[in-house]
Short mmCIF file of all heavy atoms in Angstrom, two decimals:
data_model
loop_
_atom_site.label_atom_id
_atom_site.label_comp_id
_atom_site.label_asym_id
_atom_site.label_seq_id
_atom_site.Cartn_x
_atom_site.Cartn_y
_atom_site.Cartn_z
N GLN A 37 1.78 13.24 6.01
CA GLN A 37 3.02 13.80 5.46
C GLN A 37 2.80 14.51 4.12
O GLN A 37 3.76 14.94 3.50
CB GLN A 37 4.07 12.70 5.30
CG GLN A 37 4.59 12.17 6.62
CD GLN A 37 5.32 13.22 7.40
OE1 GLN A 37 6.20 13.93 6.89
NE2 GLN A 37 4.97 13.36 8.66
N GLU A 49 -0.86 16.69 -14.48
CA GLU A 49 -0.29 16.55 -15.81
C GLU A 49 -1.03 15.51 -16.65
O GLU A 49 -0.88 15.47 -17.86
CB GLU A 49 1.18 16.15 -15.69
CG GLU A 49 2.00 17.15 -14.90
CD GLU A 49 3.36 16.61 -14.52
OE1 GLU A 49 3.76 15.55 -15.03
OE2 GLU A 49 4.03 17.26 -13.71
N GLU A 53 -6.49 7.84 -11.60
CA GLU A 53 -7.25 7.68 -10.36
C GLU A 53 -6.29 7.53 -9.19
O GLU A 53 -5.26 6.88 -9.29
CB GLU A 53 -8.13 6.43 -10.44
CG GLU A 53 -8.99 6.24 -9.22
CD GLU A 53 -9.96 5.08 -9.35
OE1 GLU A 53 -10.29 4.72 -10.48
OE2 GLU A 53 -10.36 4.56 -8.31
N VAL A 101 -2.52 6.00 -9.14
CA VAL A 101 -1.59 6.46 -8.12
C VAL A 101 -2.08 5.85 -6.81
O VAL A 101 -3.18 6.16 -6.35
CB VAL A 101 -1.54 8.00 -8.02
CG1 VAL A 101 -0.58 8.42 -6.92
CG2 VAL A 101 -1.14 8.61 -9.36
N GLY A 145 5.65 16.68 2.87
CA GLY A 145 5.15 17.19 1.60
C GLY A 145 6.12 17.13 0.45
O GLY A 145 5.78 17.52 -0.67
#
Side-chain angles (χ1 to χ4, degrees):
Q37 291 296 311
E49 302 167 11
E53 183 175 336
V101 179

